[in-house]
Amino acid sequence: MKPKFHHINLSTKNVKEMQKFYKKILFLDNEEIDIPKLEKGKAYDGDVEFMTDSKIQTHLAEIDNDLCFKTGLEINPLSKGHFAYRVDDLNKFKKHLELNKIKYSDWGETAVSGWQQIFFHDPDGNIIEVHQKKINKILF
């Protein structure tokens, strides 16, 4: 169940400017990246770019301070950004949070098709995402 660091999400007013910066200065690109499928119009309509150093992803997302009002969910991961971890068993991780009295916002697949996402705060209010990539089983 140990979470593996997956990405950092930087919220910005200008996604294209940030993309140029990270490409030019840190040599990030969007090749060899498993780009998540966002559900435009479902919860979030802002610009997003996905970049990587070939190990860790950087998500650049347009700030949306009204996202909680649109979704009815308690934590807004796009107001100031967040960092994310991937787990193999999100239900087991949720039980771990509950045992430790950590409240979380369950986004399900509200923003990303195929990703079950939860968001919670650390003691200083930083937003943490933990998600599980849904595995499509082929039945014969």
Side-chain angles (χ1 to χ4, degrees):
M1 176 185 76
K2 186 174 181 180
K4 304 276 190 225
F5 191 71
H6 185 266
H7 71 265
I8 184 167
N9 179 289
L10 301 173
S11 295
T12 179
K13 292 179 182 177
N14 190 327
V15 172
K16 295 298 179 197
E17 182 180 327
M18 289 284 276
Q19 181 186 29
K20 287 178 191 174
F21 174 87
Y22 280 92
K23 184 173 186 148
K24 182 178 180 180
I25 303 304
L26 293 177
F27 309 104
L28 301 185
D29 61 37
N30 59 2
E31 295 176 18
E32 301 177 27
I33 190 171
D34 179 21
I35 297 175
K37 183 180 176 192
L38 294 175
E39 295 287 326
K40 287 285 188 177
K42 187 175 177 185
Y44 177 68
D45 288 321
D47 288 337
V48 181
E49 289 293 337
F50 302 94
M51 305 184 82
T52 186
D53 64 356
S54 77
K55 292 185 175 127
I56 301 296
Q57 293 183 15
T58 299
H59 298 179
L60 305 171
E62 186 177 355
I63 294 170
D64 184 347
N65 288 320
D66 292 331
L67 194 57
C68 287
F69 298 111
K70 294 174 190 173
T71 63
L73 296 164
E74 297 170 5
I75 295 179
N76 182 347
L78 297 176
S79 60
K80 300 202 184 299
H82 62 273
F83 51 98
Y85 295 86
R86 181 171 282 178
V87 294
D88 293 331
D89 188 340
L90 188 58
N91 287 328
K92 189 174 181 181
F93 190 82
K94 286 191 236 182
K95 288 177 185 169
H96 169 68
L97 291 177
E98 291 162 4
L99 285 171
N100 286 282
K101 297 180 177 33
I102 304 291
K103 296 178 183 175
Y104 60 88
S105 183
D106 192 335
W107 277 60
E109 291 185 48
T110 299
V112 181
S113 291
W115 284 19
Q116 300 288 324
Q117 297 172 290
I118 61 171
F119 294 91
F120 55 97
H121 295 107
D122 71 9
D124 281 341
N126 298 300
I127 297 173
I128 302 168
E129 170 189 332
V130 174
H131 70 264
Q132 177 181 352
K133 189 172 181 181
K134 191 163 67 172
I135 299 170
N136 294 325
K137 294 181 180 178
I138 299 173
L139 302 175
F140 294 96

